[in-house]
């Protein structure tokens, strides 16, 4: 694992956008693994800007997202499909038919999950996957547990995730309790992974990732086994002595 320490969130977003730009320049039909949540919004703003300035062309790019809430569709402003359209796809020259998010309204959710891994394979695998991290160490919706699931699957959200995500909903009772999520194996197959750390509530989980053993109780620690992972943190956390 590599650690990239940046000045602040702005620099984190710029550095990540630059890596994306290099990958797409080298491979115009690259497959980008994308994430939702507050962490990647700065990156998406940079990508929109670079697309406007004609520094990145998304016309042949394909994207695949990590997860989606069960029960929420494209029209629902809390769905991850809506988030991706709103925060990125509606503002760049990407063909929406080349953007993939699990269908949280699928009649047969198990089938939807299975076909999602097939889709990743058909696309030729993920060239670069960005990840946020939950304050409990979750990546996508792979929550701390006694075991982790390799394939894309339907999962129950942990209470701490429901609480953390309730900030986006009117009330905690509106937060969906289930999601379709890429599994740990689906994520680990990505050729390159960038883990973006934003927010001091992530310190404990990241400290364990940097200094501790691999444990299913902190799913992010599995990233230690991947050969090309870069963790990007901002130096204000580092200065506080959180990581060393
Ligand atoms: P956040 O969420 O980007 O909103 O902090 C990250 C996550 O829960 O994976």
């Amino acid at each position: 694992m590599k650690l990239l320490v940046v000045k602040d969130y702005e620099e984190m977003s710029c550095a990540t956008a630059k890596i994306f730009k290099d990958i797409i320049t080298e491979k115009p039909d690259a497959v980008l693994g994308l994430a939702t949540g507050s962490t990647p919004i700065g990156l998406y703003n940079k990508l929109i800007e670079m697309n406007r300035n004609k520094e990145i062309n998304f016309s042949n790019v394909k994207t695949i997202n990590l997860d989606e809430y069960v029960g929420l569709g494209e029209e629902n402003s809390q769905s991850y499909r809506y988030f991706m359209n709103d925060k990125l796809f509606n503002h760049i020259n990407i063909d929406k038919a080349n953007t993939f998010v699990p269908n949280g309204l699928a009649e047969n959710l198990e089938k939807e999950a299975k076909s999602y891994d097939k889709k990743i394979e058909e696309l030729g695998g993920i060239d670069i996957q960005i990840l946020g991290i939950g304050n409990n160490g979750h990546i996508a919706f792979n929550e701390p547990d006694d075991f982790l699931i390799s394939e894309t699957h339907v999962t129950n959200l942990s209470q701490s995730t429901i609480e953390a995500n309730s900030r986006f909903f009117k009330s905690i009772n509106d937060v969906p309790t289930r999601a379709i999520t890429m599994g740990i194996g689906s994520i680990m197959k990505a050729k390159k992974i960038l883990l973006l750390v934003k927010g001091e509530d992530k310190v404990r989980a990241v400290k364990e990732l940097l200094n501790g053993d691999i444990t299913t109780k902190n799913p992010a620690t599995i990233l230690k086994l991947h050969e090309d992972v870069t963790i990007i943190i901002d130096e204000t956390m580092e200065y506080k002595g959180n990581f060393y």
Side-chain angles (χ1 to χ4, degrees), residues 9 70 87 137 139 155-156 159 226 234 241:
Y9 180 61
V70 167
K87 300 282 187 264
I139 47 177
T155 188
N156 293 318
Q159 189 55 30
H226 193 282
D234 85 61

Side-chain angles (χ1 to χ4, degrees), residues 36-40 132-135 138-140 165 167-168 198 201-202:
T36 52
S38 58
T39 304
I133 181 170
N135 57 25
H138 77 198
I139 47 177
N165 290 7
R167 69 191 196 274
F168 299 115
K198 173 176 175 278
D201 56 323
K202 316 291 174 59

Side-chain angles (χ1 to χ4, degrees), residues 71-220:
L72 302 193
E74 168 160 11
E75 305 302 325
N76 188 311
S77 62
Q78 302 296 350
S79 75
Y80 286 170
R81 163 52 81 177
Y82 184 100
F83 176 102
M84 289 310 302
N85 289 345
D86 185 47
K87 300 282 187 264
L88 182 64
F89 302 148
N90 287 346
H91 312 286
I92 57 175
N93 71 328
I94 199 161
D95 179 352
K96 283 229 187 93
N98 286 336
T99 67
F100 301 94
V101 180
N103 177 8
L105 294 181
E107 236 166 72
N108 186 333
L109 292 167
E110 307 300 334
K111 204 166 144 204
E112 171 67 14
K114 259 212 173 80
S115 68
Y116 206 66
D117 280 326
K118 239 199 189 137
K119 174 53 71 186
I120 300 173
E121 237 173 76
E122 277 166 24
L123 293 172
I126 298 169
D127 291 299
I128 181 166
Q129 176 68 58
I130 47 159
L131 298 173
I133 181 170
N135 57 25
N136 61 4
H138 77 198
I139 47 177
F141 278 125
N142 294 280
E143 301 281 19
D145 208 332
D146 293 334
F147 57 88
L148 296 172
I149 298 175
S150 181
E151 298 84 23
T152 299
H153 58 282
V154 180
T155 188
N156 293 318
L157 273 53
S158 71
Q159 189 55 30
S160 73
T161 297
I162 291 173
E163 281 163 20
N165 290 7
S166 67
R167 69 191 196 274
F168 299 115
F169 290 81
K170 265 201 217 115
S171 98
I172 195 163
N173 299 326
D174 295 329
V175 185
T177 54
R178 289 193 304 156
I180 302 182
T181 181
M182 265 193 217
I184 290 292
S186 322
I187 294 169
M188 290 289 280
K189 279 187 201 154
K191 289 161 202 148
K192 182 178 188 65
I193 296 178
L194 298 181
L195 177 73
L196 311 183
V197 184
K198 173 176 175 278
E200 298 218 0
D201 56 323
K202 316 291 174 59
V203 166
R204 186 194 56 82
V206 177
K207 220 168 168 175
E208 276 174 23
L209 165 60
L210 291 172
N211 305 325
D213 294 331
I214 295 169
T215 165
T216 60
K217 303 291 185 194
N218 180 338

